[in-house]
Amino acid sequence: MRIVADLGKCEGLGMCEAMAPDFFEVDEDGVVDVLDAEPGEEHRTDLTAAVDACPVLALTLQG
Amino acid sequence: MSVERMVVVGASLAGLRAVEAARRAGYDGELVLVGDEVHAPYDRPPLSKAFLDPDGERGAGAVAQFRSEEVLRDELRVDLRLGTRATGLDTTAREVLLGDERLPYDALVIATGSVPRWLPGTDPAGPDGPLEGVTQLRTVEDARRVREALEAGARIVVVGAGFIGSEVASAARKRGLPVTVVEALDVPLTRSVGPEVGVACVELHRAAGTDLRLGVGVAGLDEETPDGPDGRRRVRAVRLTDGTTLPADLVVLGIGVRPATDWLEGSGVALHDGDRGVLVDATLATNVPGVWAAGDMAHVENPLFDGEQHRLEHWTNAADHGAAAARHALDPAAAEPVVTVPYFWSDWYGHRLQFVGTPRADEARVVVDDLATGGGLVVLYRRADRVVGAFVVDLPRVVMKLRRRVLDRGPWKEAVAFATGSEVPTPR
Ligand SMILES: Cc1cc2nc3c(=O)[nH]c(=O)nc-3n(C[C@H](O)[C@H](O)[C@H](O)COP(=O)(O)OP(=O)(O)OC[C@H]3O[C@@H](n4cnc5c(N)ncnc54)[C@H](O)[C@@H]3O)c2cc1C
Ligand code: SF4
């Protein structure tokens, strides 16, 4: 599974970080850093929640 | 009773998240989404932000639709009833009234949100009809009106220095247009974020060159003498209680909203004595079996803040609760209290404002105060020895970490130490 963040869309609102702080962090510039782009399958529930929480639909999970 | 027909009333964010969550939970039965707007659900926050930007910038003038009608109908198998208004609710027969039609349900999610208030004499549905040049900002039609006025270089008066009014003022300043904001309170935003933050917000307006008039109300609106045969009314100026008259081509009202619950009056669904919002418990259940509610019109008990009731007008609240209400409606036995930290954001004059938690606190303390020097601002809210809220300007990195502390009922002292240790200025 791969996390893809569209940094052109991301507005740094941080909902992904709220849902899955181990995988996302809003950085100084106010856009998301993906901390681990290829997480294990066991994290799918948390990551789906994070992807769905993004108000601007900047995140997708592939695979 | 297992659910065979679920009805969701209100086709905006909360309603959309409700139908999505229902299908995701594996619900295979009938799913009806009723909404009185003619559009498929679209996103409101950009309407006062990117939508008003001059052309060439991202999102300008474009409506952010969440999902197309086709996807809703074909993929999510939603019976989509757009342009359709719920007029009443029969909780005994379990039917939603749509004018003459009766729509039966086993499970109902109410998500009709809120509608902005009008100043006396300006409601288009009132006896005098519409007063042109006066608008609110809630729908895409409203946003087009504001955008057109900005493009025409209109003289704009905003009534109410809340978040939406302030965003309109930002959009005007971004185009170099003069704008006046009239606010009845001496310090704006005291109810939603407290006076400490209100004072900081005043500075943001002033620094951007917005003419902010505090502690003064609107005495009345002057109208153009109708010249055409249609005799339509058009605004010319705003008269203030201090005797000033402000000439205006466009008046934008940002004086708050009220829950859109007229259709529920007398239905048996318990409503708030004051603003008529729907009362729900921490699982989003109303007092009527099978009826759940979410979003802008719901007063929800929040276990995180000693069971206090909050009616929030926040995007994330509508999204989270819309989904939870649908899951609970489908499987009430599994319904659990929803614990969320309220969160909203707003964009003013190139600054990002973010708030997490509750402002109802024993103390609000400004712990980082570097706005004047191009840095950020952090205000923390304390209840006893706990941190319960945080207001942050231009420090996006700290917000979700403070949210985590609020969620964990974290100690006040640690939150203060964290916030003061991370005051790296972050220009946007
Ligand atoms: C201009 C603007 C900017 C905003 N900016 C931000 C922001 O920056 N950050 C933030 O957190 N929040 C922001 N918000 C608030 C956020 O958009 C709302 O909290 C959110 O839209 C609430 O969703 P909802 O589904 O509960 O209600 P609504 O979006 O109000 O949707 C309710 C829907 O139900 C329909 N309806 C009402 N009555 C009936 C009826 N009887 N029958 C059928 N349909 C009915 C309405 O027409 C509407 O489509 C903003 C809001 C606006 C208007
Ligand atoms: S939730 Fe979306 S907008 Fe917010 S930081 Fe994450 S990716 Fe960016």
Side-chain angles (χ1 to χ4, degrees):
Chain A
M1 177 171 50
R2 219 188 134 67
I3 303 174
V4 180
D6 181 340
L7 299 186
K9 277 192 191 165
C10 172
E11 293 200 18
L13 296 168
M15 285 312 294
C16 52
E17 182 178 337
M19 295 294 169
D22 294 341
F23 297 94
F24 303 97
E25 184 174 31
V26 177
D27 67 16
E28 248 101 90
D29 305 324
V31 286
V32 70
D33 277 344
V34 179
L35 304 177
D36 175 1
E38 302 205 353
E41 195 54 36
E42 67 276 20
H43 300 294
R44 187 173 286 274
T45 313
D46 282 353
L47 290 171
T48 307
V51 167
D52 287 346
C54 175
V56 296
L57 313 177
L59 300 173
T60 39
L61 281 185
Q62 292 180 354
Chain B
M1 185 185 69
S2 84
V3 176
E4 284 168 19
R5 185 183 249 262
M6 175 155 150
V7 173
V8 177
V9 182
S12 179
L13 179 59
L16 172 75
R17 287 300 153 94
V19 299
E20 287 174 347
R23 287 300 184 220
R24 183 166 289 162
Y27 171 66
D28 207 29
E30 270 188 75
L31 187 55
V32 188
L33 179 60
V34 179
D36 65 355
E37 291 187 77
V38 296
H39 314 284
Y42 59 90
D43 204 16
R44 296 191 202 281
L47 296 180
S48 52
K49 303 180 183 71
F51 188 91
L52 301 181
D53 273 355
D55 278 323
E57 296 188 34
R58 61 191 167 138
V63 179
Q65 208 181 47
F66 292 112
R67 286 176 186 264
S68 67
E69 282 188 40
E70 292 68 44
V71 169
L72 284 167
R73 291 207 162 96
D74 302 341
E75 287 178 27
L76 289 174
R77 288 169 292 126
V78 173
D79 177 357
L80 194 57
R81 310 279 190 95
L82 297 176
T84 305
R85 191 171 184 77
T87 49
L89 176 65
D90 182 338
T91 51
T92 316
R94 293 200 171 213
E95 289 169 339
V96 176
L97 312 186
L98 310 172
D100 294 338
E101 189 189 342
R102 289 180 159 258
L103 182 66
Y105 65 84
D106 303 325
L108 173 66
V109 175
I110 298 171
T112 44
S114 54
V115 285
R117 296 174 195 278
W118 292 101
L119 281 176
T122 60
D123 186 343
D128 301 327
L131 177 57
E132 281 180 35
V134 179
T135 188
Q136 311 168 318
L137 182 45
R138 183 82 193 170
T139 64
V140 56
E141 289 79 12
D142 297 336
R144 285 210 182 98
R145 216 167 290 136
V146 176
R147 186 178 161 82
E148 278 164 21
L150 288 168
E151 279 172 353
R155 291 166 301 175
I156 296 181
V157 174
V158 175
V159 183
F163 289 102
I164 291 177
S166 299
E167 290 187 339
V168 172
S170 300
R173 293 304 301 139
K174 193 163 185 179
R175 292 169 185 256
L177 297 174
V179 59
T180 308
V181 178
V182 179
E183 167 60 54
L185 299 173
D186 293 328
V187 178
L189 297 167
T190 18
R191 198 183 54 90
S192 51
V193 285
E196 294 77 7
V197 169
V199 168
C201 290
V202 169
E203 286 316 310
L204 293 179
H205 284 297
R206 297 254 148 91
T210 293
D211 181 2
L212 180 61
R213 311 282 179 99
L214 294 172
V216 54
V218 172
L221 298 171
D222 286 344
E223 294 172 28
E224 212 87 75
T225 357
D227 41 9
D230 57 354
R232 279 196 293 198
R233 305 193 301 145
R234 177 162 188 90
V235 76
R236 186 179 56 191
V238 180
R239 267 182 293 112
L240 304 184
T241 48
D242 65 1
T244 324
T245 298
L246 303 169
D249 305 307
L250 182 74
V251 179
V252 182
L253 304 179
I255 50 175
V257 297
R258 61 174 185 84
T261 53
D262 297 350
W263 65 288
L264 295 170
E265 291 290 345
S267 67
V269 172
L271 303 179
H272 189 268
D273 283 339
D275 68 11
R276 311 308 284 160
V278 176
L279 300 175
V280 297
D281 66 14
T283 70
L284 308 174
T286 69
N287 61 317
V288 176
V291 182
W292 306 73
D296 270 19
M297 31 46 80
H299 286 267
V300 188
E301 269 170 42
N302 193 331
L304 193 58
F305 304 118
D306 317 313
E308 241 174 44
Q309 287 238 328
H310 294 259
R311 189 176 71 74
L312 300 172
E313 296 156 11
H314 305 168
W315 196 99
T316 53
N317 173 65
D320 293 351
H321 286 185
R327 286 193 301 268
H328 296 176
L330 292 170
D331 188 3
E336 283 183 2
V338 184
V339 180
T340 45
V341 182
Y343 166 56
F344 71 83
W345 73 94
S346 185
D347 293 331
W348 299 19
Y349 312 111
H351 298 284
R352 163 65 50 84
L353 286 59
Q354 290 168 290
F355 184 85
V356 290
T358 175
R360 296 187 211 163
D362 301 329
E363 179 195 5
R365 192 186 296 173
V366 182
V367 297
V368 177
D369 189 6
D370 298 329
L371 272 182
T373 53
L377 175 85
V378 180
V379 179
L380 296 179
Y381 298 75
R382 177 183 66 77
R383 219 181 258 191
D385 54 3
R386 246 177 93 180
V387 58
V388 292
F391 178 87
V392 178
V393 181
D394 290 346
L395 289 167
R397 216 178 66 80
V398 306
V399 179
M400 288 302 143
K401 295 174 184 70
L402 289 169
R403 177 187 183 277
R404 166 58 58 179
R405 288 171 194 271
V406 172
L407 182 64
D408 295 343
R409 298 177 162 81
W412 166 255
K413 278 197 182 127
E414 285 178 21
V416 173
F418 166 74
T420 47
S422 54
E423 48 184 275
V424 200
T426 54
R428 276 171 51 84

